[in-house]
Amino acid sequence: MNGGGITGGGGLRGELDRLAATVAGEVVAWRHRLHRHPELSNRERATADLVAGHLRSLRLAEVRTGIAGHGVVGVLRGGRPGERTIALRADMDALPVPDRCGTDFASREVDEDYPGGPFPVSHACGHDCHTAMLMGAATVLAGVREQLSGTVLFVFQPAEEGPPVEEPGGAREMVARGAFDDPVPTMAFGMHVTPYPKGFVGYRLGNQYGASCLVRIVVNGEQVHGSTPWQGIDPMPAAGAVLTGIGQLYRRIDAFHPVTVTIGHVEDVGRFNIIGERVTLWGTIRCAVAGDLEKVRQQLATLAGHTARAYGCTAAVEYLQDVPPVHHTRQWIEAALPALRRVVGEERVVQTSATLAYDDVSELVNRFGGLYVMLGVQDAELDEDGRPVPTPGGRGLVPNHHPRFYADDDTLVTGVRLHAHVAHDHLAGQPPVD
């Protein structure tokens, strides 16, 4: 059985399913095109052009472009009166990761000019799926616009993975630029493809995703020839000691509050026979409990500063690109569950465990209310403890951000239907949410 799930029955809901089936082939084609030509955060020019061109072909009330960089918002006004507005959101950016997914539409793109690059570029997090599914949902909902009450915002967001540190971007910037001022959403909804059984929908009460921030630690020494380290101050041992100390920061946080501090990139200016002037550590803090973020920041700053001084160096610590957790209330979960179960079947809508992944859709869900769920797209099944395990003979479980990350094309139509059914129910006031 593929990830398409079950149908929603007759009437308008049945028409949503019929239109979703009709557009399924286009959604797959869009996804392949986007996957073959990925673009990094704040560089999503061609992606935005594709999206905007499609939205214009649907003759929406408005298609707004160039929001917070390359953000696109399509405005669909229903033919019936209604005060509700739902924002359906998809992110568009790719990652600086080589593509080893093994398909004939794998990316061979390299961004030669991106800060810190050149980088190979791929959709190793599935944002190509998100964009294609929302383009399909726009087609479906535009096809029944005269039967809808209220307004749908199709939100295509740049820079979810985080823009270059010297540039603004992402969901918060879209909010600041007025993308949601008129009309103001009464609900935000979206989904993220994930290594979970195909066609399963996962949700969590409370924090679906964790709080996070980007970390930059600059350790400064004194440059000197590699043959005479005593004539300068080598920042490399100090940076290594900071890395070692980070591994013990968890002991300063409640053991029942998950937290990670990950240094993903070490940057040195110099060459093999030069002891450089500085070493920069780039990383991220993730906390399941938002209140722990500030505690970890304080402890990391203390660790870096004291450790650097012990080696005769200095350290400057900056925290950038704060992202709050995606928080789900019971009220919003209960409001959306009927639509989720109608699309995939009750047995395929499951509660998930906590994750320290982040998503800046939190800027919308936390502000306007709503839900951000996980959509399974891989060859997996759930074990007796509800954990995903590989299906025998399948392609295995491959995490997001891995070069071999993959998503099943047959499941994309499920995402289209989820967008359409959740939007229908919210606009129809079923059930009401204050």
Side-chain angles (χ1 to χ4, degrees):
M1 183 177 183
N2 66 32
I6 62 176
T7 59
L12 181 52
R13 289 167 174 163
E15 181 68 2
L16 297 176
D17 291 329
R18 187 191 69 79
L19 291 171
T22 299
V23 79
E26 283 187 279
V27 171
V28 171
W30 287 324
R31 186 264 167 138
H32 288 191
R33 176 176 173 177
L34 292 166
H35 193 95
R36 189 177 283 114
H37 303 292
E39 296 172 297
L40 292 173
S41 301
N42 270 11
R43 304 295 185 272
E44 308 92 341
R45 298 176 184 86
T47 303
D49 287 345
L50 174 66
V51 167
H54 175 63
L55 296 182
R56 290 189 184 105
S57 76
L58 300 177
R59 300 186 181 279
L60 304 183
E62 295 179 70
V63 178
R64 307 167 184 166
T65 60
I67 305 170
H70 300 291
V72 180
V73 176
V75 182
L76 174 66
R77 302 195 189 279
R80 297 178 178 176
E83 296 181 356
R84 291 188 173 195
T85 297
I86 185 167
L88 303 177
R89 178 268 204 175
D91 36 15
M92 301 187 294
D93 52 332
L95 288 163
V97 173
D99 193 338
R100 299 178 189 145
C101 69
T103 67
D104 59 1
F105 55 89
S107 168
R108 294 179 176 82
E109 298 286 344
V110 176
D111 192 321
E112 300 282 354
D113 302 318
Y114 205 75
F119 293 113
V121 187
S122 74
H123 271 296
C125 203
H127 296 186
D128 53 332
C129 300
H130 303 169
T131 300
M133 290 187 299
L134 187 53
M135 290 171 70
T139 304
V140 170
L141 291 167
V144 297
R145 75 186 83 197
E146 295 305 322
Q147 302 175 69
L148 295 178
S149 304
T151 304
V152 184
L153 302 180
F154 303 106
V155 180
F156 294 86
Q157 181 203 310
E160 186 279 329
E161 297 290 354
V165 294
E166 305 303 329
E167 301 176 16
R172 184 174 297 175
E173 187 68 10
M174 289 193 79
V175 172
R177 295 289 180 176
F180 308 100
D181 289 352
D182 184 21
V184 177
T186 53
M187 178 184 184
F189 177 76
M191 68 197 77
H192 205 300
V193 295
T194 193
Y196 219 64
K198 291 185 289 188
F200 274 62
V201 172
Y203 71 92
R204 179 175 174 78
L205 177 64
N207 287 351
Q208 179 79 53
Y209 288 89
S212 76
C213 71
L214 186 152
V215 177
R216 176 166 57 189
I217 305 172
V218 180
V219 181
N220 287 292
E222 185 177 339
Q223 186 166 316
V224 71
H225 196 285
S227 65
T228 56
W230 60 89
Q231 294 181 357
I233 302 174
D234 190 349
M236 196 67 75
V242 171
L243 286 169
T244 300
I246 284 173
Q248 294 298 310
L249 285 179
Y250 78 94
R251 296 176 64 85
R252 304 292 304 277
I253 299 296
D254 189 323
F256 297 96
H257 292 187
V259 59
T260 63
V261 181
T262 298
I263 300 299
H265 179 59
V266 179
E267 178 183 324
D268 177 36
V269 179
R271 67 193 304 271
F272 71 95
N273 61 350
I274 297 174
I275 292 174
E277 184 178 19
R278 71 178 57 86
V279 177
T280 303
L281 309 178
W282 297 89
T284 180
I285 301 173
R286 309 292 179 93
C287 296
V289 178
D292 289 339
L293 192 59
E294 186 56 33
K295 299 176 188 175
V296 177
R297 289 196 235 205
Q298 292 174 2
Q299 291 159 12
L300 179 56
T302 300
L303 168 72
H306 289 185
T307 302
R309 282 196 292 275
Y311 285 82
C313 298
T314 62
V317 183
E318 293 179 87
Y319 301 113
L320 310 165
Q321 299 183 2
D322 285 8
V323 177
V326 178
H327 187 77
H328 289 162
T329 66
R330 185 176 302 278
Q331 182 185 33
W332 279 107
I333 289 175
E334 291 177 351
L337 278 176
L340 305 181
R341 290 168 175 162
R342 185 187 317 125
V343 171
V344 302
E346 185 168 357
E347 74 285 354
R348 289 183 168 203
V349 179
V350 297
Q351 296 191 55
T352 60
S353 57
T355 175
L356 290 177
Y358 82 83
D359 196 301
D360 71 354
V361 73
S362 56
E363 299 286 352
L364 310 184
V365 171
N366 299 358
R367 183 182 303 266
F368 304 119
L371 205 64
Y372 193 68
V373 300
M374 293 193 278
L375 175 62
V377 293
Q378 294 193 357
D379 298 334
E381 54 195 42
L382 298 182
D383 66 14
E384 59 185 13
D385 296 319
R387 295 173 298 193
V389 295
T391 301
R395 290 164 288 180
L397 285 175
V398 184
N400 303 76
H401 292 212
H402 191 285
R404 290 192 298 105
F405 177 80
Y406 73 93
D408 181 74
D409 282 338
D410 287 347
T411 312
L412 301 181
V413 69
T414 303
V416 174
R417 293 176 58 225
L418 287 166
H419 277 304
H421 279 259
V422 170
H424 166 274
D425 282 16
H426 181 68
L427 297 181
Q430 302 170 349
V433 177
D434 295 330

